Amino acid sequence: MRMVDIIEQKRNGGILTDQEIAYFIGGYLDDQIPDYQVSALLMAIYYKGMSQEEIANLTKHMVASGDTIDLSSIKGHKVDKHSTGGVGDKTTFIVGPLVGAAGVPVAKMSGRGLGHTGGTIDKLESISGFRVELTNQEFVDTVNKHKLAVVGQTGNLAPADKKLYALRDVTATVDSIPLIASSIMSKKIASGADSIVLDVKTGSGAFMKSLEDSKRLAEAMVTIGNQLNKQTVAVISDMNQPLGFEIGNANEVKEAVQVLQGEKIDDLRELAIELAAHMTVLAGIYEDYETAVQALEEKLDNGEALACFRDFIEAQGGEASFIDNFDLLPQSAYKIAVKATATGYIHEMAAEKIGLAAMHLGAGRATKDDQINHAVGITLKKKIGDQVEKGDTLAILHSEKDQADQVIDIVRSAYTIQPDKTKPRQMIYEVVK
Ligand code: URA
């Protein structure tokens, strides 16, 4: 087999066989095939696409390139959740304990963030004493006992994806649906859960800006999962504005706890229940979606989900007292209001700009080696559909500096205020099974 023939075949719109995909993945990982040839193939895939069978085969070989986590010593049907990423997304902290309270074991490996705000692991480190590294035995024991554990990524999962992703990043081939779908699913499948629920974000603050592309990505990932024997459901959810009202690490943990305490933070609660409902149905806990939603609403309102969250925090060494007193979370030195300069209704909010503003305050990393400040972030006071008067507070910055003019400008510019009324955004667009 020759790499040049594989490139030519894809360039001409042909279909690659399982053996050809195995050849190029294996050869690239072993440094037998150079970057320039793989770059050419990636660009050919970018333009010519891949069939569902090719995408599933690519995913399979990326999974096989590294370790697969063995969760067999965890009792029950394990379900994982993955979000394609958005600003203010703290649903893991609600969904995990919510499905845990319903009896679904969640053994979650999460990453740190780059850009925007931190990742799930960074957010958990806002909690004093919380350990994101557990031994394998501790991880298994925690899930068996409390139904939930969240740790930083360990093992060498899908190393071929890691190497390809780095190459895609510098060859303008990241935003190709077959490549994104196989990349995400290779890591999820290697993480060992029995079923997967995907939260595919759509809108201005998401990877996929249009509903049509988001649907294509969702369908590609669901098909991969099903072809590789992992039942997969994808929920397409709105990312035209940040999720909830809090952005930043400690801020987001606090808001998740508020939802677990029964507060009706509408968009966040709705999305968490939606994702949790699909997870519990896949795990066979509830017969159908409607029954699941009703049962999960109850578990949020009667404190069962909160109790699961508390147990999980304590089991991983965290001081859970912050749940009853948010002042125990890291606090920034200054709170700075961002005021509206016009009267009207909020029509749009550029979620990416809000994420960028949070990063400038120190909540996210501009480069891999930056240190995160867990205390800083942004509290939104207005979202799409809200009425504002000139001078009203749009958002509050949690800052370590008393001056934050540049960040104020970014946040203000994220809001589009117009005179005519507009409706709040819908949260869930579609479910792909
Ligand atoms: N996230 C991933 O893990 N891979 C992609 O290709 C895009 C987003």
Side-chain angles (χ1 to χ4, degrees):
M1 221 174 272
R2 295 190 320 157
M3 186 64 180
V4 65
D5 299 327
I6 295 176
I7 297 168
E8 188 180 329
Q9 175 146 333
K10 185 45 78 184
R11 185 203 65 190
N12 294 341
I15 302 278
L16 304 181
T17 63
D18 190 27
Q19 291 77 9
E20 285 168 334
I21 293 172
Y23 172 81
F24 107 73
I25 290 289
Y28 188 46
L29 199 58
D30 292 347
D31 296 323
Q32 299 298 314
I33 302 175
D35 279 351
Y36 56 82
Q37 283 191 307
V38 177
S39 305
L41 179 62
L42 291 172
M43 193 55 85
I45 292 172
Y46 182 92
Y47 279 111
K48 297 293 178 180
M50 284 184 128
S51 70
Q52 262 310 330
E53 193 178 344
E54 284 177 296
I55 302 176
N57 287 336
L58 175 59
T59 311
K60 180 181 76 183
H61 292 298
M62 293 205 293
V63 173
S65 71
D67 301 337
T68 300
I69 307 290
D70 178 6
L71 299 179
S72 57
S73 44
I74 295 173
K75 298 186 283 280
H77 186 103
K78 278 81 61 183
V79 187
D80 202 356
K81 174 202 87 96
H82 178 79
S83 153
T84 58
V87 180
D89 187 358
K90 66 284 283 175
T91 50
T92 293
F93 306 132
I94 307 165
V95 170
L98 183 52
V99 302
V104 181
V106 178
K108 191 151 184 57
M109 288 199 175
S110 283
R112 295 185 183 279
L114 186 60
H116 288 345
T117 53
T120 296
I121 290 299
D122 301 307
K123 292 171 196 175
L124 283 169
E125 283 180 340
S126 312
I127 300 166
S128 173
F130 190 90
R131 290 165 56 215
V132 298
E133 282 176 25
L134 300 179
T135 64
N136 281 348
Q137 196 57 47
E138 285 173 325
F139 185 51
V140 166
D141 289 348
T142 306
V143 183
N144 275 333
K145 190 153 177 218
H146 302 290
K147 296 287 179 234
L148 175 62
V150 183
V151 293
Q153 229 129 49
T154 57
N156 186 24
L157 302 190
D161 170 64
K162 201 168 177 187
K163 200 167 171 191
L164 277 180
Y165 195 86
L167 190 62
R168 287 166 57 205
D169 215 18
V170 293
T171 55
T173 50
V174 168
D175 51 348
S176 144
I177 286 175
L179 296 177
I180 298 174
S182 53
S183 165
I184 293 175
M185 289 303 285
S186 64
K187 287 170 287 204
K188 283 290 111 183
I189 289 169
S191 299
D194 301 308
S195 301
I196 301 164
V197 171
L198 301 163
D199 178 10
V200 179
K201 307 285 191 191
T202 190
S204 62
F207 232 119
M208 294 290 137
K209 311 283 180 211
S210 74
L211 183 56
E212 200 190 343
D213 280 349
S214 310
K215 216 175 140 183
R216 284 173 54 218
L217 178 63
E219 283 167 355
M221 291 196 288
V222 167
T223 309
I224 295 172
N226 294 339
Q227 286 185 346
L228 300 184
N229 296 322
K230 304 275 181 190
Q231 249 196 310
T232 304
V233 172
V235 173
I236 303 182
S237 72
D238 187 66
M239 189 35 70
N240 283 294
Q241 61 183 338
L243 187 57
F245 292 87
E246 300 287 354
I247 298 109
N249 297 281
N251 281 8
E252 292 190 31
V253 170
K254 171 179 139 188
E255 190 175 34
V257 172
Q258 287 171 327
V259 172
L260 290 168
Q261 288 169 335
E263 267 191 52
K264 305 284 188 297
I265 301 168
D266 290 344
D267 58 349
L268 189 53
R269 181 178 161 110
E270 183 187 348
L271 179 59
I273 289 177
E274 178 77 20
L275 297 169
H278 294 293
M279 291 170 79
T280 50
V281 171
L282 282 175
I285 301 277
Y286 302 116
E287 207 167 302
D288 55 42
Y289 170 82
E290 287 74 23
T291 314
V293 168
Q294 202 180 357
L296 295 166
E297 297 255 9
E298 247 177 74
K299 290 192 188 300
L300 267 186
D301 292 334
N302 68 14
E304 283 181 52
L306 182 65
C308 178
F309 180 80
R310 193 185 292 270
D311 289 346
F312 138 73
I313 295 296
E314 284 173 350
Q316 291 195 221
E319 286 172 29
S321 45
F322 81 89
I323 293 171
D324 308 303
N325 178 5
F326 293 135
D327 291 345
L328 298 175
L329 285 168
Q331 305 288 324
S332 67
Y334 298 96
K335 306 233 184 298
I336 303 170
V338 180
K339 305 274 188 186
T341 51
T343 292
Y345 294 85
I346 314 285
H347 277 239
E348 281 173 34
M349 277 184 81
E352 272 173 356
K353 281 194 185 173
I354 305 271
L356 188 71
M359 192 187 82
H360 283 309
L361 290 170
R365 297 182 181 83
T367 69
K368 217 165 62 240
D369 301 321
D370 286 353
Q371 287 290 320
I372 275 198
N373 182 326
H374 294 96
V376 300
I378 300 172
T379 303
L380 304 175
K381 292 293 178 189
K382 300 284 179 190
K383 292 188 64 176
I384 293 177
D386 288 345
Q387 189 174 15
V388 283
E389 299 280 333
K390 185 174 171 181
D392 280 356
T393 299
L394 293 171
I396 294 178
L397 309 183
H398 303 257
S399 170
E400 294 296 15
K401 301 190 189 121
D402 59 349
Q403 295 283 321
D405 291 348
Q406 189 202 357
V407 181
I408 290 175
D409 286 345
I410 297 174
V411 172
R412 200 179 274 134
S413 72
Y415 282 89
T416 304
I417 301 172
Q418 285 177 353
D420 52 317
K421 268 194 175 181
T422 185
K423 285 205 250 65
R425 302 239 25 144
Q426 91 187 70
M427 185 70 238
I428 312 292
Y429 291 97
E430 237 168 281
V431 176
V432 178
K433 292 185 188 184

